[in-house]
Structures are given as C-alpha cells and as structure tokens.
Amino acid sequence: MSTAVVTGEWSRIWSRPELGLQALVDATGSVRLGGPDQDWACLVPLVEVTATGHGRMWSGERFIETSIGDRMAYRAHETVQDGDRERTTIRLADSLTGLVADVILEAGAANAVPGAGFLRARVRLVNEGATPIRLESVSTLALGGIADADGSLDGLTVHWADNDWLAECRWHKAPYRDQVVPLSRAAHGHEGRGCFERYSQGSWSTGRHLPVAALTGHDGRAWLWQIESSAGWRYETGEREGAAYVALFGPDDAHHQWHHTLAPGEEFATVPAVLVRTGTGGLDAAFGVLTDYRRGMRRDHPDHTALPVIYNDYMNTLMGDPTTDKLLPLVESAGAAGAEVFVIDAGWYDDDSQGWWDAVGAWEAAPNRFPGGIKEVLDAIRHHGMTPGLWLEPEVVGVRSPLAGTLPPEAFFRRGGLRVTEHGRHHLDLRHPAARAHLDQVVDRLVGEWGVGYLKLDYNINIGPGTENGPESAGAGLLGHHRAHLDWMASLLDRYPHLVLENCGSGGLRMDYAQLALAQLQSTSDQQDPLRYPPIAAAAATAVAPEQAAVWAYPQPDQTLDEIAFTLTSALLGRVHLSGFLDRMSDEQQALVRSAIGVYKEIRTEIAQAHPFWPLGLPSWDDAWIAHGLHGRGSTLVTVWRRGPGSESSTLSLPRLRGVPLVPEVLHSGPSGAEVRWDAPAGILTVSLPCPDTAVLLRLPSAPRR
C-alpha cells in the first residue's frame, strides 16, 4: 500500500503534477480530487452515489452532494506501474450501507504536449452490507477546484458538441458565466440547484450530443473529458464555493431509466471516462493528448497503420440496390482508381417484393440480385486486388423476418413483458445465447466461408431506454446488452484477427469509444451534400482518431472537376470512403480521382501518427471558410474549404510553425487552383481560393523531407 503525505488538516494520497490534480483525505476520511492550491470546500467527494433511500443533501438538478458520497470514507490505496502508465486504486466505504467503492485512476503523461496528461477513471462498487442497495446513479469521475488563472470563473469557456443525423460534431462554446451564472453564494448560504449538463437518450449514444466536452481558460489551459459508453452517459459542470466542478456519469435513473440492485456480495462497474488536462495550447493541445490516449487504449489492429482506401457502393450511388450487373463495372473502376477494399453496402440480401427494411435478419445473399451467386462478385473484387466487404446490421431482426418467430422471446428486447418494435424492427439482446449463436453463424458464413474481410456494422434504430429482463430496469438491460455486444465484437476479432470492423450508426449516431476501442473505423455521417460535409469532416477528429474517421468522397460524372476535387479533398485527412459512378466518368475525371487517391496513399502514414488542430477554430455549421490540420513528425497537413460567395482568401494562424522558413506545397486541389503565402515571422498562412465551393490540401514541411 502507498503512503500518504500529511499536510495540515488533510493528507495527500495521490498526485499528478502534469494534470494539476491530487487526491486528498481529511480527518473524517473524506477523499476529494482537485488542484494543489484549492480550498477543501470547493472540492467534491471522489465518488457520488444516489440510491433509493439515499439521495442528495441539497436537492436540485445536480448529481453531486449525495448522502452516500458524503459518507464514503477512506480505507486504503495502492499504486502500481504499468509500462508508462500509473494505476492507483483508492478504496472507500460507507459504514451505513456497507457499500464499498474501488476508484481506479489510470494516469499517463502526454507524448506530444509537455506538461499535460490524462486521467482515466473507473469505479467498482461492492455491497459488503447485509441488505440490497438499489443504485440510481454512480459517478465515474468527480473533481472540483477548476478555475481560470486568476482563480475566478469569469475567464472560463465551456465547449460542447451537438450531434444529429447528417449534422454530426457541431461544436459550440459559451462563456462559463453564461451557462453557470453567479448567484451571490454569500447572500444565500447555499449553492445553486442547477448545472450545465448534456446526456444521451436511448440507444444512439451520440444521437443528441457527443460524450466529449471541455472547459478552457483565457491563458490556454484546458480540461477536456470523454465518457466511454454506448448505453447511456451524462456529464455536468457547475459552481461550488467559487470554483467549477465536473462530474462524469454512465446511465442514471432520471435520464436513462437505469437503476441497479446490488444484493449482498454483488458488484457493479461504471463505464470508463477520461480527463485530459493541459496548461497551455487550449483545445488543440488537449485534443492532441486525447488523440494519443485514444490510440493507446484501443485494441491493436493492422488497419490502424495500413489505412487502406475503401470504396463503398452506397452513398449517392447504388443506395441499397446492388446487383451483379451494377457492381461489376464499379468493382473494375474502383480497383483502377486505387481502392483497396470494396464494400457491398445495404440491399445485397433483398429479394422481398415488399422491401427489405422490416424483413432483415437472416443475411443470406439474394438470388435474384446475384444470378451467379454473390461469390461471383466477391471473387471479382479479389481479382481486382481489393478485399471484399459487406454491410450488416447485426442487432436487429425485421418484424417480417422468419427469425422474429423462431428465436426465443428472451432473445429480444422487451419492456413490460412485450417485445419492443421500432421502425419495423425488433432488437436482439446479445446476452441471450440464441441471439449470439445466430450472429456467430452469420459471421462465420460471411467471413469464414465467403472470405469477406470487412464488415460495416450499421445501427439504424433508437430502441429507447433498453430492455427489461426480469426485474432489471430498462437502462440496466441496455447497458448489459451493450457490454455483451462489445464482447461479441471482440470475439470476432479473436477468431478473425485481420477482419476490419466499421462502426456505423445511421452515420455517426453511435460514435463513442466503448465501440471505437474495438472497431477499426467510424462512419462520421450519412450526409449526401458535399457542401454540407466539410464542418463534419473537419470536426470529426474531436470525436474519433483521424485514422478511424471514415469520410465519404462521392465524385460523380455530372460534376465539374472543381466539384470532384472538393468532395475528394474532404476525405483526405481521415479515412477515404470513396463512392460514386466512377465507371461513367471521363478520362480526365478518372485521372483526378486517381490523383487524389495517390496523394492519400502518400500521406496516410503521417495521418496515423499526427495530431489534429483547427487554425480557424472548430467550425460552425454555416462557416464560409473551414480549416482542419494535422501536425505530423516532419510536416503539417492542412485542408482548407471555401463555401459560397464572399472573400476569396482567409488567414490561418499557425503559431507552432512561427519562425520556420518553409514553402507550402499544394497536394490536391481543383483546376481553379489555390494561391498560398507563408509569413514565417508571424506564423500566418494566407490561402486564396478564387472560386467558391472549392478546397485545397496543403503540406507545410516543418523539417527537411527525406
């Protein structure tokens, strides 16, 4: 067991200087997490728990100041070194209920940003008492003492991201005091009852917001957090004794219909969450640290460094209507363009005169679509040097599917004893062995027998709060299913180590790092308008590591060369999801596509190691000028979009390259071209795009090219 450092009225049992955090225990045994110079009163208990019969000490919208959290007392702590990470377990106990909490804090320093780091937290609860405890909320991480450099909240800014179908990763910011107003604490003797909060609803974990948000100070310091849950999450920030606090949660009763009864001897584990802390550099630096963390916590896979180019037949092309005759010309043209994976998207199983949406589930190839069998097309894909892929929506069974009647009722989501139906589908509960066996048989056929090497796993319904399996709450059922779903995904990769899994949820509606710790790619959107995609593509790296962010590029034969270049450019700093009727293009159009893919293959090794930044700030939905960059080891890559009329030029501040003499290189643009000027002493890049609705990809060498 580690020893404590005693200072005055409290003892320090854990600290990380690069995070500006320490865990303190006072004479009563209360443990709190905060900065080194903060007043004890502004800190919050390390774990906050509400349970039926044990609510909050100050009623309101906040899920802090809980009775159990206030009673939790220090028992012991232990620190172990695991490679370059340090893992500390702090054990707390509530003598009244017998509830014991192991708070697991895993800390790491930032490779790319000196004086910064991350803290990953999980909580394990055990009922050591004699009676059941009905949990209603449990914090994964709670800390206080956050303030600007002058110790006030006036200079803080809160950042959050809204999400929606076709409009993902829309970031907003506001002065902290606009969201958490001063209430004259001294005049009332109490804090306010409200807070700034965001949370998920239903089974689309990012259907409303991203589980990522931040506070920043005017001097460049930042606190950035991410909750890793596919089932339910919530964060809140508010004022406590003149400082800000942040509390991160998985599902709870009030927002997700989650409660969980712990019988004596039983345990429960919260969803993980991570906090990034930087002293300078603001959001760009913080997202650089978060990107490194994401790369370090996910499952190793060769796709993360290979970054093959993917052609998918769906977007603005076949749109769920694949046949042998339609696919073979696309296969040939995709291979000629440089694609390395060819994915047959939705509809390959559809032979139903009433449509496939509410009849899916068996995942057998449709004979009328593939008269010579689907293997004819899969073989053609391989013949043209590409890995074959298929679309699959594994968690649903259509109401007209035979499986809806042959699988046992317990294999489906139910509430109130009734099977749940949403948009013509039932939902499998992957905790049931029959549901899992069914999907294992499907994948073993597609991958093991047909030789498919890529599965696009889609998810197109929001099933609501979850499933009630016996006495469990709907939210607990959803969490249980999603943990089983993650286990199933891991088992696929255990059996087929080179299989690539794409995570898709009607685009980016289930874009969380519970899934992305296992899936190699994330669909960022279903957006079909190339002029609407840039703010999504530019901000995708806030939600996903760049090499996991799949962005559609859908050039068409009826587009101008500038329009083709525009849609291709949007994908070049992520993962290229190429689509479009390439087979119908002119030689000049095809050459432009091949050129863009060639550029991507040249820079993709840099993408896999680079850190994102936004020289014009995170984009707003209607911004005319948008810029997104990646800082690599030897160069900086920047994509700049101009949408609509207005100014023909924009100035980008690149302080990291200030004073560096360099010559910007245009890697990809349309025939209308781009003019670029670099002011090294000021660190200012001026980009001119003379025509509206055009884009350019630039390389800024920051070190001699090898």
Side-chain angles (χ1 to χ4, degrees):
M1 291 294 176
S2 302
T3 58
V5 176
V6 180
T7 305
E9 298 179 356
W10 47 260
S11 301
R12 184 173 67 243
I13 57 175
W14 175 89
S15 68
R16 294 292 296 197
E18 74 277 10
L19 287 164
L21 290 176
Q22 58 185 3
L24 309 173
V25 56
D26 72 358
T28 70
S30 179
V31 178
R32 303 189 179 191
L33 191 65
D37 301 317
Q38 294 296 331
D39 182 3
W40 175 269
C42 72
L43 306 182
V44 295
L46 185 59
V47 178
E48 295 280 21
V49 180
T50 61
T52 306
H54 306 270
R56 290 160 292 186
M57 301 171 66
W58 180 241
S59 190
E61 302 301 315
R62 305 177 179 208
F63 280 34
I64 64 165
E65 299 177 317
T66 63
S67 298
I68 291 178
D70 186 66
R71 295 195 303 260
M72 281 279 185
Y74 172 79
R75 274 192 177 179
H77 73 286
E78 181 178 17
T79 298
V80 297
Q81 198 71 29
D82 184 8
D84 60 348
R85 298 187 181 185
E86 176 188 273
R87 186 172 63 253
T88 296
T89 301
I90 301 174
R91 173 159 288 194
L92 311 172
D94 173 24
S95 60
L96 181 62
T97 62
L99 189 65
V100 173
D102 284 339
V103 183
I104 303 162
L105 304 175
E106 184 179 2
N111 298 324
V113 183
F118 69 83
L119 177 66
R120 188 175 196 248
R122 295 167 289 149
V123 176
R124 173 178 170 268
L125 296 179
V126 182
N127 184 358
E128 293 187 355
T131 58
I133 303 171
R134 188 177 182 270
L135 303 171
E136 295 182 354
S137 70
V138 185
S139 66
T140 291
L141 181 64
L143 70 150
I146 297 174
D148 202 7
D150 62 2
S152 76
L153 301 182
D154 297 338
L156 289 184
T157 299
V158 59
H159 308 258
W160 73 97
D162 292 340
N163 228 48
D164 197 357
W165 185 54
L166 313 179
E168 292 84 351
C169 302
R170 301 189 329 276
W171 280 85
H172 308 275
K173 64 180 180 180
Y176 192 76
R177 279 307 194 192
D178 283 0
Q179 304 297 320
V180 180
V181 299
L183 299 175
S184 300
R185 167 75 167 83
H188 300 94
H190 288 289
E191 299 289 359
R193 300 184 187 274
C195 58
F196 178 86
E197 65 173 0
R198 292 293 183 269
Y199 52 89
S200 65
Q201 183 177 29
S203 58
W204 275 332
S205 59
T206 58
R208 303 178 66 182
H209 309 285
L210 292 183
V212 184
L215 298 176
T216 58
H218 76 277
D219 61 346
R221 63 180 64 191
W223 298 260
L224 172 67
W225 59 86
Q226 167 182 284
I227 305 173
E228 297 160 13
S229 174
S230 297
W233 57 265
R234 176 181 174 273
Y235 63 76
E236 68 175 73
T237 180
E239 183 175 2
R240 182 180 171 93
E241 297 288 351
Y245 74 88
V246 171
L248 312 179
F249 300 84
D252 66 66
D253 192 27
H255 301 88
H256 310 99
Q257 298 184 33
W258 178 90
H259 58 78
H260 185 87
T261 299
L262 277 186
E266 291 184 342
E267 63 181 63
F268 170 77
T270 67
V271 303
V274 64
L275 173 77
V276 167
R277 171 76 166 85
T278 60
T280 59
L283 277 184
D284 284 358
F287 276 115
V289 178
L290 185 59
T291 299
D292 279 342
Y293 163 79
R294 288 166 170 169
R295 288 168 173 159
M297 56 82 70
R298 67 193 179 193
R299 179 179 177 129
D300 287 338
H301 196 284
D303 182 82
H304 294 320
T305 53
L307 277 60
V309 175
I310 300 151
Y311 182 94
N312 183 299
D313 70 29
Y314 186 84
M315 191 61 70
N316 290 346
T317 309
L318 300 187
M319 298 297 290
D321 188 27
T323 66
T324 298
D325 289 343
K326 293 178 181 179
L327 285 167
L328 290 180
L330 292 176
V331 169
E332 182 177 2
S333 60
E340 295 152 305
V341 177
F342 189 103
V343 178
I344 304 171
D345 207 282
W348 58 270
Y349 39 78
D350 175 30
D351 255 354
D352 195 305
S353 60
Q354 299 181 55
W356 59 264
W357 181 264
D358 58 357
V360 296
W363 309 113
E364 297 279 359
N368 290 334
R369 291 185 174 275
F370 307 100
I374 196 172
K375 290 186 179 181
E376 177 186 0
V377 180
L378 301 179
D379 288 343
I381 293 170
R382 282 186 281 265
H383 174 74
H384 286 280
M386 296 178 288
T387 298
L390 287 176
W391 181 94
L392 192 67
E393 195 170 358
E395 293 165 83
V396 301
V397 170
V399 295
R400 294 192 300 109
S401 170
L403 286 163
T406 57
L407 288 173
E410 297 80 11
F412 294 95
F413 273 36
R414 295 168 296 157
R415 291 198 290 272
L418 302 174
R419 188 182 299 188
V420 179
T421 303
E422 176 72 9
H423 198 178
R425 274 102 174 273
H426 303 308
H427 197 294
L428 292 173
D429 186 339
L430 286 184
R431 295 174 296 178
H432 195 281
R436 180 154 175 167
H438 156 62
L439 292 185
D440 281 341
Q441 291 171 3
V442 169
V443 173
D444 287 344
R445 172 164 39 85
L446 304 186
V447 178
E449 297 177 20
W450 296 3
V452 169
Y454 184 110
L455 290 177
K456 176 178 178 177
L457 303 180
D458 209 342
Y459 186 72
N460 287 305
I461 60 172
N462 187 334
I463 202 62
T467 180
E468 299 165 346
N469 185 12
E472 75 179 353
S473 66
L478 184 63
L479 180 59
H481 160 75
H482 276 301
R483 285 175 165 168
H485 178 227
L486 297 175
D487 184 73
W488 175 72
M489 291 172 64
S491 74
L492 299 186
L493 296 171
D494 289 341
R495 295 204 303 280
Y496 305 106
H498 292 283
L499 176 66
V500 175
L501 301 178
E502 176 191 340
N503 183 45
C504 181
S506 277
L509 300 187
R510 204 160 70 170
M511 189 159 41
D512 61 75
Y513 262 87
Q515 306 260 21
L516 287 167
L518 291 168
Q520 286 67 61
L521 290 93
Q522 170 65 53
S523 171
T524 56
S525 187
D526 280 350
Q527 177 57 248
Q528 292 177 250
D529 183 346
L531 293 178
R532 284 296 186 188
Y533 217 132
I536 302 170
T542 63
V544 185
E547 65 274 15
Q548 291 181 276
V551 176
W552 289 101
Y554 25 61
Q556 301 294 350
D558 60 351
Q559 292 176 339
T560 67
L561 293 179
D562 272 333
E563 289 171 333
I564 289 173
F566 187 94
T567 185
L568 290 167
T569 303
S570 294
L572 294 181
L573 291 188
R575 293 298 296 275
V576 176
H577 258 39
L578 186 63
S579 196
F581 290 105
L582 307 182
D583 57 313
R584 304 177 188 176
M585 288 184 167
S586 69
D587 291 344
E588 189 178 25
Q589 291 173 322
Q590 290 179 348
L592 183 57
V593 174
R594 288 195 301 271
S595 174
I597 299 304
V599 167
Y600 182 77
K601 290 181 178 179
E602 179 187 348
I603 67 173
R604 60 185 170 186
T605 56
E606 300 176 52
I607 293 172
Q609 300 174 342
H611 299 98
F613 70 101
W614 295 269
L616 295 176
L618 288 171
S620 295
W621 188 244
D622 293 318
D623 281 352
W625 285 87
I626 294 171
H628 167 229
L630 294 176
H631 284 305
R633 292 181 178 177
S635 65
T636 293
L637 301 168
V638 182
T639 298
V640 184
W641 296 263
R642 177 193 170 192
R643 298 189 296 172
S647 174
E648 294 184 6
S649 64
S650 180
T651 57
L652 284 60
S653 177
L654 303 175
R656 181 166 170 169
L657 298 179
R658 185 179 295 126
V660 178
L662 55 85
V663 178
E665 177 186 0
V666 175
L667 295 181
H668 177 73
S669 70
S672 63
E675 295 181 4
V676 185
R677 298 190 307 276
W678 172 243
D679 182 345
I684 297 295
L685 181 72
T686 301
V687 179
S688 297
L689 294 171
C691 293
D693 302 331
T694 54
V696 63
L697 172 63
L698 304 170
R699 187 204 302 271
L700 307 175
S702 54
R705 296 277 306 277
R706 294 183 179 179

